[in-house]
Every structure is written in C-alpha cells, then in structure tokens.
Amino acid sequence: MSVSTGVESTAPYVEVSCRVDDKRGSKRRRPLLDCAMVRFEDAVPVRPFRWSWGGRHFPGWYWAATTGQHVGFESWLERDRLVLMDFDPAVVGMASQPFWLHWHDGERERRHAPDFFVRRVDGSATVVDVRADDWIPPRDAEAFDLTRRACAEVGWRFEQVGTPEAVLLANVRWLSRYRHPRSQREPVAARLLEVFSQPRPLMAGADAAGDRLATLPVLFHLLWRHEVSAERMDIELLGPRTVVRRAGGSAG
C-alpha cells in the first residue's frame, strides 16, 4: 500500500507518497493521508537486507519479545535501537523499512524508506530513523526533514535517533539475553516477586529466593519485563549490589 500528500519545503510543492508490501507481496501507491490508520507495524520490509563480504553494513534479524517476530536491521546501531525499543513497555509493535516516501525535490524524484515504524500502547505511531549524530550527510538530513513534516501531516511522531547512552544500553543488552518467555519459570518467579517486595541488593535477593543458578535467569527476565526494577540502570552497570524492588512495591 502507499500514500501521498502535499507539504511545503524548499521546493515550491512536494508530493509525498509511501509504499508498503501487502501480504501478497504486491505494491500499491496511495495518498499519505489515506494511510494514517494502516498497521505499518505489521508491514514487511519494502527492500531486502543485503549481506556482502567485507561490506560496511552489518545487517541481521532481531527476535523481538514485544511481538514474537523477527525485525530486520542494517547496522549495529539499528540493532541497539531495536533492543531499546523492545525493552520499552510503551512499545507494542515495530517493523523495519515499513514503506517508501516519494517526493520531488525540485530537480529530481526522491524516495526514502524510514528505518522503523513503532506503535505505542496508547495507539500513537512513531517513525524512526537511526543515524549517528556525527554522520548525517546533507542528503540524509533533507530526507529526515521531509519525513518529519510528512509524519506531522498524518499525526505521527518522527524521531531521528543516534548512539544510545552506553551504560543503559549495556544493561538492556544484558537483560535481552533473558527476554524469551522460557525464562519465566514458576514457582521461582513468584518467590522472587515476594522477596523483592521490599528493596534489596540484587544478589542477596536472588540467594534468598533459592539457588542463584536457578533464580538469576528468572530475575533478569523479570527485570526485562519491568515486573521488578533496578535503581540507576542508566548510570551504573548491573551488579550484585544493585538495589532491586518489585514494580509498584514499597520504597522501603
């Protein structure tokens, strides 16, 4: 499916359209305003992810616990952003390369496939482009600006995001190892939730709930699911003394 509408830019008039594969793999083009309610979080990528020996990019597929599906990425930076989106409890859906935006810049036809489409728990939508802040060529900056204004036309947010904060990313990547539902084991999870109903150090609580070899994987899964929370995850690496508490529990 695809979309098109008019927005102002440095050119006198810009026609924007987007295109997304339907379930049969065919492609159609429609006005952007007509596609405001399309579930682009379920879209298949509009272009393939290419692997090449010695290439500059590092594409792959990330299994998202949020959706139970694989989502493509084209760089390690995109993969890191996917992990953070998967960890965000406000995110309920995501897709990579969800559509093409087409426009004319006054000299030639242009097109741009945003990196991700994200659906949030409140029903709102965000289009995301990932690029290191110190490496945005003018051509890409123009595409991002056009995409931002096109998204505003249909009530979507647009975010251009760069390199994540290192400590938070390290913690979330560690927890992502335990994101699969198989890590939710009972009655261990119930014991951990009871133990951490009051704040206590991570390792002490894991030991109080049983053998740490059995309790730690489940504890990390509960942290991933935000059923328990860890203090200062954005500025300190998770460790034995990290204070953990049940979500919504007493502050002690």
Side-chain angles (χ1 to χ4, degrees), residues 174-175 178 182-193 195-196 200-224 228 244:
W174 173 264
L175 295 179
Y178 305 91
R182 62 173 171 261
S183 295
Q184 179 82 15
R185 298 176 183 173
E186 296 293 353
V188 177
R191 289 203 302 271
L192 285 164
L193 290 174
V195 165
F196 286 105
R200 64 174 65 200
L202 183 151
M203 195 63 74
D207 288 339
D211 183 347
R212 67 176 62 172
L213 292 178
T215 61
L216 280 175
V218 183
L219 177 57
F220 293 143
H221 180 70
L222 294 176
L223 282 163
W224 172 266
V228 296
V244 176

Side-chain angles (χ1 to χ4, degrees), residues 63-84:
W63 184 83
T66 298
T67 62
Q69 310 234 348
H70 285 88
V71 184
F73 59 86
E74 292 188 301
S75 68
W76 288 348
L77 184 55
E78 288 186 18
R79 178 207 57 190
D80 291 344
R81 283 293 173 181
L82 268 177
V83 174
L84 292 174

Side-chain angles (χ1 to χ4, degrees), residues 2-238:
S2 93
V3 292
S4 100
T5 187
V7 295
E8 294 184 3
S9 86
T10 54
Y13 187 79
V14 178
E15 289 188 353
V16 183
S17 67
C18 81
R19 183 174 59 191
V20 62
D21 293 281
D22 63 23
K23 293 184 181 298
R24 297 167 299 181
S26 62
K27 297 172 182 173
R28 293 176 290 157
R29 188 174 295 185
R30 294 177 57 192
L32 181 57
L33 290 173
D34 289 355
C35 294
M37 303 305 295
V38 171
R39 290 182 54 85
F40 285 111
E41 65 269 31
D42 297 330
V44 296
V46 292
R47 59 186 178 87
F49 299 96
R50 293 184 173 86
W51 288 260
S52 60
W53 182 260
R56 295 175 54 193
H57 299 289
F58 299 90
W61 295 94
Y62 170 81
W63 184 83
T66 298
T67 62
Q69 310 234 348
H70 285 88
V71 184
F73 59 86
E74 292 188 301
S75 68
W76 288 348
L77 184 55
E78 288 186 18
R79 178 207 57 190
D80 291 344
R81 283 293 173 181
L82 268 177
V83 174
L84 292 174
M85 288 190 289
D86 198 20
F87 182 65
D88 186 347
V91 172
V92 296
M94 64 192 82
S96 56
Q97 311 286 340
F99 52 74
W100 286 111
L101 286 173
H102 297 260
W103 73 97
H104 197 285
D105 65 5
E107 296 181 356
R108 62 182 67 84
E109 293 289 336
R110 297 278 305 280
R111 69 176 185 173
H112 172 61
D115 292 319
F116 300 110
F117 184 94
V118 176
R119 184 72 65 184
R120 300 190 179 277
V121 68
D122 62 0
S124 64
T126 303
V127 173
V128 180
D129 270 310
V130 182
R131 194 63 51 86
D133 294 328
D134 60 351
W135 193 75
I136 303 179
R139 185 178 177 87
D140 289 350
E142 179 186 346
F144 296 161
D145 182 62
L146 186 287
T147 304
R148 177 180 292 104
R149 286 180 285 122
C151 288
E153 289 279 316
V154 291
W156 299 340
R157 292 181 59 194
F158 173 79
E159 295 179 357
Q160 185 271 307
V161 296
T163 305
E165 197 282 319
V167 175
L168 177 62
L169 176 62
N171 285 328
V172 174
R173 285 184 61 184
W174 173 264
L175 295 179
S176 72
R177 302 179 183 188
Y178 305 91
R179 67 187 184 275
H180 196 280
R182 62 173 171 261
S183 295
Q184 179 82 15
R185 298 176 183 173
E186 296 293 353
V188 177
R191 289 203 302 271
L192 285 164
L193 290 174
E194 181 180 357
V195 165
F196 286 105
S197 61
Q198 297 292 326
R200 64 174 65 200
L202 183 151
M203 195 63 74
D207 288 339
D211 183 347
R212 67 176 62 172
L213 292 178
T215 61
L216 280 175
V218 183
L219 177 57
F220 293 143
H221 180 70
L222 294 176
L223 282 163
W224 172 266
R225 289 177 50 84
H226 302 275
E227 294 188 41
V228 296
S229 61
E231 292 184 353
R232 303 168 65 86
M233 270 189 57
D234 57 337
I235 58 176
E236 291 181 0
L237 293 176
L238 289 169

